mmCIF file of all heavy atoms in Angstrom:
data_model
loop_
_atom_site.group_PDB
_atom_site.id
_atom_site.type_symbol
_atom_site.label_atom_id
_atom_site.label_comp_id
_atom_site.label_asym_id
_atom_site.label_seq_id
_atom_site.Cartn_x
_atom_site.Cartn_y
_atom_site.Cartn_z
ATOM 1 N N PRO Y 1 -67.008 -57.426 47.387
ATOM 2 C CA PRO Y 1 -66.288 -58.308 48.307
ATOM 3 C C PRO Y 1 -65.471 -59.331 47.537
ATOM 4 O O PRO Y 1 -65.506 -59.387 46.319
ATOM 5 C CB PRO Y 1 -67.408 -58.967 49.105
ATOM 6 C CG PRO Y 1 -68.552 -58.998 48.147
ATOM 7 C CD PRO Y 1 -68.424 -57.732 47.329
ATOM 8 N N ALA Y 2 -64.756 -60.154 48.283
ATOM 9 C CA ALA Y 2 -63.978 -61.229 47.674
ATOM 10 C C ALA Y 2 -64.916 -62.210 46.981
ATOM 11 O O ALA Y 2 -66.087 -62.348 47.337
ATOM 12 C CB ALA Y 2 -63.167 -61.944 48.735
ATOM 13 N N ALA Y 3 -64.423 -62.898 45.991
ATOM 14 C CA ALA Y 3 -65.245 -63.869 45.256
ATOM 15 C C ALA Y 3 -65.670 -65.003 46.179
ATOM 16 O O ALA Y 3 -64.967 -65.373 47.114
ATOM 17 C CB ALA Y 3 -64.458 -64.410 44.072
ATOM 18 N N MET Y 4 -66.815 -65.566 45.898
ATOM 19 C CA MET Y 4 -67.365 -66.615 46.754
ATOM 20 C C MET Y 4 -66.657 -67.953 46.572
ATOM 21 O O MET Y 4 -66.754 -68.821 47.416
ATOM 22 C CB MET Y 4 -68.864 -66.795 46.467
ATOM 23 C CG MET Y 4 -69.667 -65.569 46.799
ATOM 24 S SD MET Y 4 -69.471 -65.180 48.531
ATOM 25 C CE MET Y 4 -70.261 -63.617 48.608
ATOM 26 N N ASP Y 5 -65.951 -68.149 45.465
ATOM 27 C CA ASP Y 5 -65.319 -69.438 45.212
ATOM 28 C C ASP Y 5 -63.932 -69.560 45.824
ATOM 29 O O ASP Y 5 -63.268 -70.562 45.668
ATOM 30 C CB ASP Y 5 -65.241 -69.699 43.706
ATOM 31 C CG ASP Y 5 -64.437 -68.637 42.975
ATOM 32 O OD1 ASP Y 5 -64.218 -67.553 43.545
ATOM 33 O OD2 ASP Y 5 -64.053 -68.896 41.824
ATOM 34 N N GLU Y 6 -63.463 -68.538 46.555
ATOM 35 C CA GLU Y 6 -62.156 -68.609 47.182
ATOM 36 C C GLU Y 6 -62.225 -69.476 48.431
ATOM 37 O O GLU Y 6 -63.224 -69.477 49.143
ATOM 38 C CB GLU Y 6 -61.669 -67.210 47.554
ATOM 39 C CG GLU Y 6 -61.330 -66.371 46.354
ATOM 40 C CD GLU Y 6 -60.807 -65.007 46.770
ATOM 41 O OE1 GLU Y 6 -60.729 -64.742 47.979
ATOM 42 O OE2 GLU Y 6 -60.482 -64.227 45.881
ATOM 43 N N PRO Y 7 -61.167 -70.223 48.727
ATOM 44 C CA PRO Y 7 -61.174 -71.077 49.916
ATOM 45 C C PRO Y 7 -60.989 -70.253 51.190
ATOM 46 O O PRO Y 7 -60.451 -69.159 51.162
ATOM 47 C CB PRO Y 7 -59.976 -71.997 49.698
ATOM 48 C CG PRO Y 7 -59.058 -71.184 48.844
ATOM 49 C CD PRO Y 7 -59.954 -70.372 47.955
ATOM 50 N N ALA Y 8 -61.469 -70.788 52.273
ATOM 51 C CA ALA Y 8 -61.283 -70.140 53.559
ATOM 52 C C ALA Y 8 -59.826 -70.283 53.983
ATOM 53 O O ALA Y 8 -59.173 -71.269 53.683
ATOM 54 C CB ALA Y 8 -62.199 -70.779 54.595
ATOM 55 N N THR Y 9 -59.311 -69.267 54.658
ATOM 56 C CA THR Y 9 -57.918 -69.261 55.064
ATOM 57 C C THR Y 9 -57.828 -69.444 56.567
ATOM 58 O O THR Y 9 -58.559 -68.822 57.326
ATOM 59 C CB THR Y 9 -57.264 -67.921 54.685
ATOM 60 O OG1 THR Y 9 -57.414 -67.746 53.286
ATOM 61 C CG2 THR Y 9 -55.804 -67.914 55.032
ATOM 62 N N ALA Y 10 -56.911 -70.318 57.013
ATOM 63 C CA ALA Y 10 -56.726 -70.549 58.435
ATOM 64 C C ALA Y 10 -55.734 -69.529 58.980
ATOM 65 O O ALA Y 10 -54.685 -69.298 58.393
ATOM 66 C CB ALA Y 10 -56.209 -71.953 58.686
ATOM 67 N N ILE Y 11 -56.071 -68.912 60.102
ATOM 68 C CA ILE Y 11 -55.215 -67.936 60.750
ATOM 69 C C ILE Y 11 -54.934 -68.430 62.153
ATOM 70 O O ILE Y 11 -55.845 -68.800 62.894
ATOM 71 C CB ILE Y 11 -55.886 -66.553 60.787
ATOM 72 C CG1 ILE Y 11 -56.141 -66.059 59.366
ATOM 73 C CG2 ILE Y 11 -55.031 -65.570 61.572
ATOM 74 C CD1 ILE Y 11 -56.862 -64.750 59.297
ATOM 75 N N LEU Y 12 -53.656 -68.444 62.541
ATOM 76 C CA LEU Y 12 -53.291 -68.892 63.873
ATOM 77 C C LEU Y 12 -53.686 -67.852 64.904
ATOM 78 O O LEU Y 12 -53.706 -66.660 64.643
ATOM 79 C CB LEU Y 12 -51.789 -69.145 63.955
ATOM 80 C CG LEU Y 12 -51.254 -70.315 63.140
ATOM 81 C CD1 LEU Y 12 -49.751 -70.398 63.300
ATOM 82 C CD2 LEU Y 12 -51.909 -71.597 63.562
ATOM 83 N N HIS Y 13 -54.017 -68.330 66.074
ATOM 84 C CA HIS Y 13 -54.373 -67.467 67.179
ATOM 85 C C HIS Y 13 -53.152 -66.619 67.537
ATOM 86 O O HIS Y 13 -52.026 -67.094 67.497
ATOM 87 C CB HIS Y 13 -54.817 -68.336 68.367
ATOM 88 C CG HIS Y 13 -55.486 -67.559 69.430
ATOM 89 N ND1 HIS Y 13 -54.790 -67.002 70.462
ATOM 90 C CD2 HIS Y 13 -56.785 -67.213 69.617
ATOM 91 C CE1 HIS Y 13 -55.626 -66.361 71.258
ATOM 92 N NE2 HIS Y 13 -56.849 -66.494 70.767
ATOM 93 N N PRO Y 14 -53.303 -65.357 67.916
ATOM 94 C CA PRO Y 14 -52.150 -64.507 68.188
ATOM 95 C C PRO Y 14 -51.298 -64.961 69.372
ATOM 96 O O PRO Y 14 -50.177 -64.515 69.537
ATOM 97 C CB PRO Y 14 -52.760 -63.142 68.440
ATOM 98 C CG PRO Y 14 -54.193 -63.347 68.655
ATOM 99 C CD PRO Y 14 -54.559 -64.636 68.021
ATOM 100 N N THR Y 15 -51.807 -65.871 70.219
ATOM 101 C CA THR Y 15 -51.020 -66.326 71.364
ATOM 102 C C THR Y 15 -50.143 -67.517 71.029
ATOM 103 O O THR Y 15 -49.422 -67.998 71.890
ATOM 104 C CB THR Y 15 -51.946 -66.700 72.533
ATOM 105 O OG1 THR Y 15 -52.820 -67.746 72.103
ATOM 106 C CG2 THR Y 15 -52.742 -65.500 72.996
ATOM 107 N N ALA Y 16 -50.175 -67.989 69.800
ATOM 108 C CA ALA Y 16 -49.356 -69.137 69.427
ATOM 109 C C ALA Y 16 -47.884 -68.741 69.446
ATOM 110 O O ALA Y 16 -47.498 -67.698 68.942
ATOM 111 C CB ALA Y 16 -49.731 -69.640 68.047
ATOM 112 N N LYS Y 17 -47.056 -69.546 70.073
ATOM 113 C CA LYS Y 17 -45.626 -69.264 70.173
ATOM 114 C C LYS Y 17 -44.917 -69.771 68.918
ATOM 115 O O LYS Y 17 -45.387 -70.678 68.255
ATOM 116 C CB LYS Y 17 -45.055 -69.936 71.409
ATOM 117 C CG LYS Y 17 -45.639 -69.399 72.691
ATOM 118 C CD LYS Y 17 -45.079 -70.122 73.883
ATOM 119 C CE LYS Y 17 -45.737 -69.608 75.152
ATOM 120 N NZ LYS Y 17 -45.436 -70.431 76.291
ATOM 121 N N THR Y 18 -43.782 -69.204 68.635
ATOM 122 C CA THR Y 18 -43.028 -69.638 67.467
ATOM 123 C C THR Y 18 -42.523 -71.054 67.697
ATOM 124 O O THR Y 18 -42.038 -71.390 68.774
ATOM 125 C CB THR Y 18 -41.833 -68.702 67.208
ATOM 126 O OG1 THR Y 18 -41.013 -68.677 68.366
ATOM 127 C CG2 THR Y 18 -42.286 -67.302 66.868
ATOM 128 N N GLY Y 19 -42.633 -71.876 66.673
ATOM 129 C CA GLY Y 19 -42.190 -73.258 66.767
ATOM 130 C C GLY Y 19 -43.228 -74.173 67.395
ATOM 131 O O GLY Y 19 -43.056 -75.377 67.452
ATOM 132 N N GLU Y 20 -44.311 -73.628 67.879
ATOM 133 C CA GLU Y 20 -45.362 -74.438 68.514
ATOM 134 C C GLU Y 20 -46.356 -74.868 67.461
ATOM 135 O O GLU Y 20 -46.760 -74.086 66.610
ATOM 136 C CB GLU Y 20 -46.061 -73.583 69.590
ATOM 137 C CG GLU Y 20 -47.156 -74.306 70.333
ATOM 138 C CD GLU Y 20 -47.790 -73.373 71.355
ATOM 139 O OE1 GLU Y 20 -47.103 -72.977 72.296
ATOM 140 O OE2 GLU Y 20 -48.970 -73.046 71.163
ATOM 141 N N GLY Y 21 -46.745 -76.117 67.490
ATOM 142 C CA GLY Y 21 -47.713 -76.619 66.534
ATOM 143 C C GLY Y 21 -49.097 -76.067 66.821
ATOM 144 O O GLY Y 21 -49.473 -75.816 67.967
ATOM 145 N N ALA Y 22 -49.866 -75.854 65.775
ATOM 146 C CA ALA Y 22 -51.207 -75.303 65.949
ATOM 147 C C ALA Y 22 -52.175 -76.388 66.405
ATOM 148 O O ALA Y 22 -52.120 -77.518 65.951
ATOM 149 C CB ALA Y 22 -51.676 -74.713 64.637
ATOM 150 N N THR Y 23 -53.041 -76.029 67.309
ATOM 151 C CA THR Y 23 -54.092 -76.942 67.752
ATOM 152 C C THR Y 23 -55.425 -76.420 67.252
ATOM 153 O O THR Y 23 -55.542 -75.278 66.805
ATOM 154 C CB THR Y 23 -54.115 -77.043 69.290
ATOM 155 O OG1 THR Y 23 -54.419 -75.753 69.822
ATOM 156 C CG2 THR Y 23 -52.784 -77.524 69.829
ATOM 157 N N ARG Y 24 -56.472 -77.252 67.319
ATOM 158 C CA ARG Y 24 -57.786 -76.819 66.838
ATOM 159 C C ARG Y 24 -58.315 -75.635 67.630
ATOM 160 O O ARG Y 24 -59.017 -74.801 67.078
ATOM 161 C CB ARG Y 24 -58.775 -77.966 66.913
ATOM 162 C CG ARG Y 24 -58.601 -78.939 65.804
ATOM 163 C CD ARG Y 24 -59.917 -79.664 65.563
ATOM 164 N NE ARG Y 24 -59.673 -80.720 64.652
ATOM 165 C CZ ARG Y 24 -59.761 -80.581 63.333
ATOM 166 N NH1 ARG Y 24 -60.127 -79.450 62.827
ATOM 167 N NH2 ARG Y 24 -59.503 -81.579 62.541
#
């Protein structure tokens, strides 16, 4: 698997519209 020391990556929800800011 991937190394354990790699940072977690944030992925936007697929319903996010272009130009729209991401919310929690």
Side-chain angles (χ1 to χ4, degrees):
M4 296 300 171
D5 60 343
E6 291 182 359
T9 303
I11 299 177
L12 292 178
H13 193 270
T15 60
K17 296 178 183 169
T18 58
E20 181 181 295
T23 62
R24 282 205 189 270

